[in-house]
Each structure stands twice: as C-alpha cells, then as structure tokens.
Amino acid sequence: MNLRSMLWVCPVVLSLGCGSGEVIHEEVGSAKYFLDNQSSHALRVEWKTTGQLGSETEGVASVPSGTVRELRSDSAFGVNPRPTDTFVSLTLYRTDTGGRVYSQEPVRDEAWVSEREDSRTYGLTHHTLRIRDEDFQ
C-alpha cells in the first residue's frame, strides 16, 4: 500500500473504529435476604430461585431459635431486587422433627420487612422474614 492510500485509509478506519467515547453507566441495586427466627424451634430453610437465577433449590441447614441468618443475596441492573425477584418459593422445616411448619409459594413481598441501607436510587436493601411460633401452619 502506498503512502497516499494509507493517508486516505487511516482517518476512515479511525473514525469507524472508535466509538463516541460515551460510557453508559447503569446503577446496580442489591438485596440481602435474612430469616429472623423468633420461634421456639431451630429451623431448616429451603428455597427455589427464580428462572433468572437458574431455578435452583438451595437451603440453610439450621437457623437456631432467637437468631438472624442471612439466606442469600441478589443484585440487578436498574432495580432493587425484591423477594419475588429472587425466590419462587420458601419453606421452613423444624430441625428436630423435620416437619414443614411454614411455606410461601409463591413468595409474597408483603411478608418481608424491607429496610433500605443506602440512600441512592439503587442501593442495598435488606429484606427480613420474621417467623414466630404463631406463624406456623
């Protein structure tokens, strides 16, 4: 390629190959989910995630009576995840008997206490499911 052709091609390639330089930033919202076991029994927790998260069944071996345990976290671009964005179902079992004592299927956002931990539009939100003996089925 001669010098004249290169002087013609270089500006064209540079103008086509370089973007506008504009970087688009989309904020990420995140959530942490907790079980506050205020019942008189240790509980085992199982849940199924939404299709966006792989529709996987997961769980926590034991949440002793009187303790709070983080179950899982989630994040998404442009939204603060809610329990219904993360879970399809959630079931609690007594660890001593193995009996099912509580179930949400489908999961209901209003059953969880939500607290914003960040003042930004999309930030960290804690969602806590508080369970007492009177909540057992």
Side-chain angles (χ1 to χ4, degrees):
M1 185 179 270
N2 63 30
L3 181 60
R4 188 175 185 176
S5 297
M6 287 181 65
L7 290 174
W8 174 252
V9 171
C10 280
V12 172
V13 170
L14 289 174
S15 67
L16 294 175
C18 296
S20 65
E22 182 180 336
V23 177
I24 298 173
H25 295 280
E26 189 170 1
E27 291 189 52
V28 175
S30 61
K32 289 187 177 187
Y33 300 96
F34 298 89
L35 176 69
D36 180 0
N37 183 3
Q38 296 179 2
S39 77
S40 57
H41 304 283
L43 301 172
R44 181 173 51 89
V45 187
E46 286 185 4
W47 61 85
K48 184 174 182 180
T49 59
T50 61
Q52 294 173 339
L53 298 174
S55 297
E56 296 184 16
T57 300
E58 302 175 27
V60 173
S62 180
V63 181
S65 174
T67 64
V68 177
R69 174 80 47 96
E70 182 177 341
L71 303 177
R72 132 170 222 108
S73 61
D74 190 9
S75 60
F77 287 104
V79 66
N80 286 319
R82 301 176 322 241
T84 53
D85 296 323
T86 304
F87 304 106
V88 172
S89 64
L90 182 133
T91 305
L92 304 176
Y93 302 88
R94 282 183 47 176
T95 56
D96 57 350
T97 65
R100 185 175 82 172
V101 294
Y102 180 88
S103 182
Q104 281 188 32
E105 190 172 354
V107 169
R108 300 178 318 277
D109 289 335
E110 64 274 3
W112 300 70
V113 175
S114 300
E115 300 173 44
R116 293 289 304 270
E117 298 297 317
D118 196 325
S119 62
R120 295 177 298 157
T121 302
Y122 302 108
L124 176 61
T125 304
H126 286 179
H127 301 283
T128 304
L129 179 62
R130 291 188 174 103
I131 295 295
R132 299 175 310 258
D133 289 335
E134 48 270 13
D135 297 319
F136 292 164
Q137 300 167 339

